[in-house]
Amino acid sequence: MNDASRLDKRFAALKAENRPALVTYITAGDPGFETSLDILKGLPAAGADVIELGMPFSDPMADGPAIQKAALRALQSGQTQAQTLELVRAFRREDTQTPLVLMGYYNPIYRYDVERFLDDAVRAGVDGLIVVDLPPEHDDELCLPAAQHGIDFIRLATPTTDAKRLPRVLGNASGFVYCVSVTGVTGGRAPTSQHVERTVGQLREHTHLPIAVGFGIRNTEQAATLGRFSDAVVVGSALVECVERAATPHDAIAAVHGLTRELAEGMRRAR
């Protein structure tokens, strides 16, 4: 079985249930390896349908303050690219069903060595990649090699991606399409549902892939509203802030899982 098929199976199952997916983002190694692993392991039981695991990087240019600080906490705790893959391996020892996508920037992958990274990612149990600073003009760098390894390459469609460029952006995409709901960085202003609904409708004219909406979604009400017309809703900064605010590792784990349960309930009410 191709591990990347976890995404296809999960979205097909949720379509049959007529509900959108909850996609949760956390940063690998934040605030430390063991706490991060405990958070990761508990996300599916709390209601996460797909997990995005951030690869810490020192210059996360598409991310807002919350995820920037999370990356810094992880790096200061000693998190490396190899340890991020070890988190995935440890997660897979207990969970072979939940799709897991690595999200981040090309530099850590390039420094690790692309071919070695893809080989190790497959063995660890990674299903997909979101690499925000590699446009389709550089598909030969990572997107196409990832596909050859059976790893989905998820593309971002932003509010500035016009109809002329969309076919190029989506040409080699797989897994799902990440619809950026607002112009700006992660954790910014809340999206306007009417605008996002129009954007999702336009995207559906160009792809048959599931469409996940993210950026600026912070609570159950927002998630449920956007889930009415999308295939998935992505929540990241709000979860990462739970870690930032926590007084102890136990508090961080409880807060992330608690918010995930609330968001999952919103997904069940979305349709």
Side-chain angles (χ1 to χ4, degrees):
M1 183 187 76
N2 186 335
D3 281 349
S5 68
R6 289 189 191 99
L7 280 166
D8 293 336
K9 287 184 176 181
R10 181 55 52 93
F11 278 108
L14 293 175
K15 185 176 182 179
E17 294 177 23
N18 192 34
R19 74 168 178 89
L22 172 62
V23 183
T24 55
Y25 171 97
I26 61 168
T27 300
D30 175 34
F33 184 91
E34 293 301 331
T35 302
S36 178
L37 178 58
D38 286 341
I39 291 172
L40 180 63
K41 286 180 175 180
L43 285 172
D49 298 301
V50 178
I51 296 170
E52 289 181 10
L53 185 62
M55 299 177 285
F57 179 47
S58 58
D59 188 23
M61 58 188 177
D63 292 303
I67 294 179
Q68 287 180 18
K69 287 185 282 187
L72 182 60
R73 287 193 299 270
L75 292 171
Q76 289 176 338
S77 77
Q79 186 74 9
T80 65
Q81 192 76 341
Q83 286 180 316
T84 297
L85 291 174
E86 178 55 34
L87 275 175
V88 180
R89 279 190 289 270
F91 175 75
R92 284 284 176 238
R93 293 184 193 113
E94 299 181 10
D95 188 315
T96 61
Q97 302 300 317
T98 304
L100 189 149
V101 174
L102 293 181
M103 183 172 185
Y105 300 82
Y106 185 46
N107 181 277
I109 296 172
Y110 178 80
R111 292 189 64 187
Y112 192 95
D113 181 77
V114 170
E115 190 65 24
R116 176 178 163 234
F117 170 78
L118 291 172
D119 286 342
D120 289 352
V122 169
R123 284 195 288 267
V126 172
D127 298 296
L129 296 172
I130 302 173
V131 182
V132 300
D133 56 347
L134 270 185
E137 286 77 13
H138 295 278
D139 275 358
D140 289 344
E141 294 275 343
L142 184 61
C143 174
L144 297 180
Q148 292 168 359
H149 283 74
I151 296 176
D152 284 316
F153 202 85
I154 293 123
R155 285 288 187 203
L156 276 72
T158 73
T160 59
T161 308
D162 60 27
K164 183 178 179 180
R165 180 153 177 81
L166 265 179
R168 182 71 180 269
V169 170
L170 301 176
N172 292 314
S174 59
F176 62 91
V177 177
Y178 193 129
C179 174
V180 177
S181 61
V182 294
T183 303
V185 295
T186 57
R189 68 184 188 277
T192 303
S193 60
Q194 295 88 343
H195 171 75
V196 179
E197 186 169 11
R198 286 196 302 271
T199 302
V200 169
Q202 291 164 358
L203 276 175
R204 293 203 191 281
E205 297 175 4
H206 294 270
T207 183
H208 296 294
L209 292 171
I211 297 172
V213 175
F215 280 47
I217 302 164
R218 310 189 64 83
N219 57 51
T220 303
E221 182 181 354
Q222 291 172 337
T225 298
L226 297 176
R228 287 190 295 103
F229 50 79
S230 65
D231 301 298
V233 174
V234 186
V235 179
S237 294
L239 293 167
V240 167
E241 286 171 355
C242 290
V243 178
E244 180 182 359
R245 291 192 299 264
T248 67
H250 179 270
D251 290 343
I253 296 164
V256 173
H257 293 163
L259 179 55
T260 300
R261 283 189 286 272
E262 293 175 14
L263 293 164
E265 178 60 30
M267 292 296 92
R268 288 188 285 271
R269 297 200 309 263
R271 296 177 186 167

